Amino acid sequence: MAVTRSWTMPGTAPVMVSVPRHGASLRLAWMVAASLLVATGLWFVYQAKLQRMSGGPVLNLNVVTSADELLPVLEFFPNRAELAPRIYDYLERARPLRHTGALTAVIPRRDFARVKPLIAVRSPAEFRAQLVRSALLYFAGFYVVALIWRLTRFRGDAALLPVLQLLTGFGFLLMVSMRDPLRDTLEFHKFAVGVFLGSLLLALPAFPIFNYRRLAGWCYTPLFAALGLFGLLMAFGRGPAGNDAKVNLGMFQPVELIKILLVMFLAGYFTRQWERLRDLREKRVPGGRVARAEHVVPVLVATGISLVLFFVLKDLGPALVTLFVFLAVFTVARGKPALGIAALTLMVAAVATGYRAGTPHTVAQRIDMWLSPWDNDVHGGDQLAHALWAFATGGPTGSGPGWGDPGVIPAGNTDLVLPAIGEEWGFAGVAAVFGLFGILIWRGLGAAQRADTTYGLFLATGLTMLIACEMLLVTAGVLGALPLSGVVSPFLSSGNTAMVANFLVFALLGGIGNVDIANTENATQPEALRAPLGRLKLVLAGAGAILLGFALRYQVLRD
């Protein structure tokens, strides 16, 4: 028997719980199985890239030693005798080059396409070495966490590490497949770094200092911190090229942290107010009209914040995620969905009104793209058409890992990562991704139901809904069920800020779900709070089934 620690309130001694040793061995077995699956997929992708890069000799720009070596690749330039020394001088200053596109600094872009097949910035051996290093880094994070859990005898969720490894594995394999290994920036290394740093956060619940109960007293502090980040984003934020949405603050995307801070605020607020909300519904109180007004105020304020995000950030994603997470937590606290449905209706009406008024411009363009994916006047308005084409191309089983063309898909490494997976892995891969997210969401809401504090229940509900809403919204967008929104697919998209933030979500959920065995048998939270969570599971399962039906239509029934 092993002894497991379950941390109680700060300043108290840990409760020691006996757990069979075979539980740790079973977790390790699941981890190894997940690693073997990812490693097998990585081998197939690598073999595919080797075959696709085989061809005539290319010139490695990073090892060129004279201008004369450049002349053969410039043979169709009439002024190649003058151009070669100029390119060589540039190489001397700029090396090592990470991608061949850097050469457009001295070669006109219209001519670069003719040169690119003849040049490279790394050899196949260098690509292989970088891939091995990145893969080792990718796997290392999960096994470091597993080792820490074992040494500290932390009873973590047995499903958490293997499921997250498989999900990020889909993203990692896609990043390897997406770029030309000899000529482009290696996207997979950045992805591996993000996964490694993020996965280390999963070790935090094993230490008593990372006790989520310490956050229970911070009701308004997270809100003020979120507003501060929001102000910085408004003042200094930038969007992607050609987009007026404000999402980036240098290399950092504050919205990812803002969403978590807002969830912490909501958890603290409803921990203090849920009984009063129930009282307002269940019995008459003196001054009934005032009470009913107070009853509605939280919904109106939350909807107002969502609309502010909608119009100021000029992006549909943060507004919808903020609103849906609030409505889920509010409905659990209130026990009835009527006001939540009313707020959702108001949001839809506001978006429709903004679209007819043509503001915000970015959102209006996304709706135009949604209404007419194959024929619109939006700059870059072919994203949804590319997504649907990629799904259909993948069919039931896909083109095979490494044999698709994810690099052709606009934003295939971020917003449109699921269509890229659908092209290479087919409907089977898309269904697997849905299944893995389903497990995570189910376990997250299960942690909320097992929570030994009311704050833990609301925090786990909000964090789980944050992941669920992001995935459902981006999936609905790429399948044409809703307009595309500025939301990335958790654990699949390239973006280290989002990756680390998503792992932080499950570090918090891991701490909340780590309750004593006695508490799993005798729930400490009232049924009035736990019952809505069961209904929430059914709603999310229904939404996922509908979207999976869209994928089935494009990839199997009408591929």
Side-chain angles (χ1 to χ4, degrees):
M1 301 287 287
V3 177
T4 298
R5 300 173 181 175
S6 180
W7 302 103
T8 56
M9 293 301 293
T12 63
V15 177
M16 310 305 286
V17 182
S18 295
V19 179
R21 288 187 182 276
H22 66 75
S25 300
L26 182 62
R27 287 198 296 269
L28 181 60
W30 280 113
M31 275 278 295
V32 172
S35 299
L36 288 175
L37 286 174
V38 175
T40 301
L42 187 60
W43 172 256
F44 282 120
V45 173
Y46 172 69
Q47 291 298 317
K49 301 305 284 186
L50 281 183
Q51 293 185 47
R52 297 184 74 170
M53 75 171 71
S54 61
V58 295
L59 180 66
N60 189 339
L61 298 177
N62 284 320
V63 298
V64 170
T65 58
S66 69
D68 292 339
E69 295 180 40
L70 295 168
L71 293 176
V73 301
L74 302 175
E75 60 182 6
F76 52 85
F77 284 91
N79 61 335
R80 62 175 183 163
E82 301 173 2
L83 185 59
R86 203 162 73 228
I87 294 176
Y88 182 72
D89 289 341
Y90 171 77
L91 294 178
E92 288 284 275
R93 297 192 309 270
R95 284 190 294 199
L97 302 182
R98 297 177 60 199
H99 57 87
T100 56
L103 216 59
T104 57
V106 286
I107 293 179
R109 288 185 179 274
R110 62 179 181 274
D111 298 322
F112 175 70
R114 301 173 67 183
V115 177
K116 186 174 181 179
L118 307 175
I119 57 178
V121 294
R122 67 185 63 86
S123 66
E126 290 172 325
F127 162 63
R128 181 172 60 252
Q130 182 63 69
L131 181 59
V132 170
R133 289 194 295 268
S134 299
L136 291 175
L137 184 67
Y138 165 81
F139 287 115
F142 293 102
Y143 282 93
V144 168
V145 173
L147 179 62
I148 293 174
W149 282 11
R150 191 176 184 92
L151 292 177
T152 59
R153 293 172 177 156
F154 174 73
R155 190 180 64 255
D157 189 336
L160 197 59
L161 290 179
V163 170
L164 287 175
Q165 187 175 158
L166 288 174
L167 260 182
T168 54
F170 271 108
F172 184 57
L173 298 182
L174 182 66
M175 298 307 144
V176 177
S177 176
M178 182 163 291
R179 304 301 184 205
D180 186 318
L182 302 184
R183 299 171 179 85
D184 297 339
T185 301
L186 298 180
E187 190 79 21
F188 61 80
H189 179 67
K190 172 187 171 185
F191 189 91
V193 170
V195 172
F196 176 77
L197 295 176
S199 61
L200 292 181
L201 296 179
L202 297 176
L204 294 178
F207 301 99
I209 194 172
F210 190 79
N211 190 336
Y212 81 91
R213 298 171 187 84
R214 299 175 187 272
L215 305 173
W218 298 2
C219 182
Y220 289 97
T221 303
L223 177 63
F224 294 144
L227 292 176
L229 287 174
F230 182 77
L232 290 174
L233 192 60
M234 292 302 96
F236 306 106
R238 297 289 183 270
N243 194 323
D244 60 352
K246 295 188 176 183
V247 294
N248 299 320
L249 197 62
M251 298 179 63
F252 176 56
Q253 290 188 328
V255 171
E256 302 300 330
L257 183 56
I258 287 173
K259 289 183 288 191
I260 295 177
L261 291 171
L262 289 177
V263 170
M264 291 180 179
F265 160 67
L266 292 176
Y269 177 83
F270 285 116
T271 297
R272 293 160 175 77
Q273 300 294 331
W274 78 271
E275 290 181 302
R276 186 181 180 193
L277 291 174
R278 295 296 178 95
D279 288 341
L280 290 173
R281 176 173 61 85
E282 294 171 358
K283 64 182 181 181
R284 291 181 177 274
V285 295
R289 292 186 177 179
V290 175
R292 283 193 294 272
E294 293 177 353
H295 187 177
V296 176
V297 163
V299 182
L300 295 179
V301 170
T303 306
I305 292 174
S306 298
L307 294 176
V308 169
L309 286 170
F310 168 61
F311 285 103
V312 177
L313 284 179
K314 301 178 181 179
D315 200 355
L316 197 59
L320 292 178
V321 170
T322 302
L323 180 64
F324 288 154
V325 169
F326 170 81
L327 293 181
V329 180
F330 177 81
T331 301
V332 171
R334 172 86 175 132
K336 295 289 183 179
L339 282 174
I341 295 173
L344 184 59
T345 303
L346 180 61
M347 182 65 176
V348 171
V351 172
T353 301
Y355 170 67
R356 291 192 175 277
T359 183
H361 183 61
T362 300
V363 177
Q365 287 186 327
R366 289 181 181 271
I367 296 177
D368 282 334
M369 190 194 314
W370 174 56
L371 295 174
S372 183
W374 303 98
D375 182 18
N376 58 68
D377 297 326
V378 179
H379 177 68
D382 58 348
Q383 288 189 2
L384 181 54
H386 272 288
L388 299 180
W389 192 272
F391 278 121
T393 303
T397 57
S399 60
W403 289 104
D405 293 303
V408 176
I409 303 173
N413 62 327
T414 53
D415 292 19
L416 271 62
V417 67
L418 191 63
I421 291 174
E423 181 188 11
E424 292 204 343
W425 294 88
F427 178 75
V430 172
V433 169
F434 270 71
L436 293 170
F437 271 107
I439 294 172
L440 289 180
I441 293 166
W442 189 273
R443 306 293 285 198
L445 293 179
Q449 290 177 312
R450 297 193 308 272
D452 53 359
T453 66
T454 303
Y455 177 77
L457 182 146
F458 283 117
L459 182 60
T461 301
L463 292 174
T464 304
M465 287 303 301
L466 183 62
I467 297 295
C469 290
E470 287 180 345
M471 189 58 195
L472 289 174
L473 281 173
V474 70
T475 303
V478 298
L479 287 169
L482 290 174
L484 280 168
S485 55
V487 180
V488 297
S489 302
F491 302 111
L492 297 175
S493 300
S494 177
N496 286 352
T497 303
M499 184 68 72
V500 172
N502 291 328
F503 272 105
L504 177 60
V505 165
F506 279 93
L508 289 167
L509 288 173
I512 296 170
N514 181 44
V515 298
D516 302 343
I517 292 177
N519 284 342
T520 64
E521 297 172 352
N522 303 295
T524 59
Q525 299 307 315
E527 179 64 21
L529 281 177
R530 291 187 294 112
L533 292 173
R535 295 192 288 270
L536 193 57
K537 288 181 180 180
L538 294 177
V539 171
L540 293 175
I546 291 172
L547 293 178
L548 196 58
F550 273 79
L552 181 71
R553 176 193 178 199
Y554 291 124
Q555 297 192 270
V556 179
L557 302 180
R558 298 182 60 185
D559 66 318

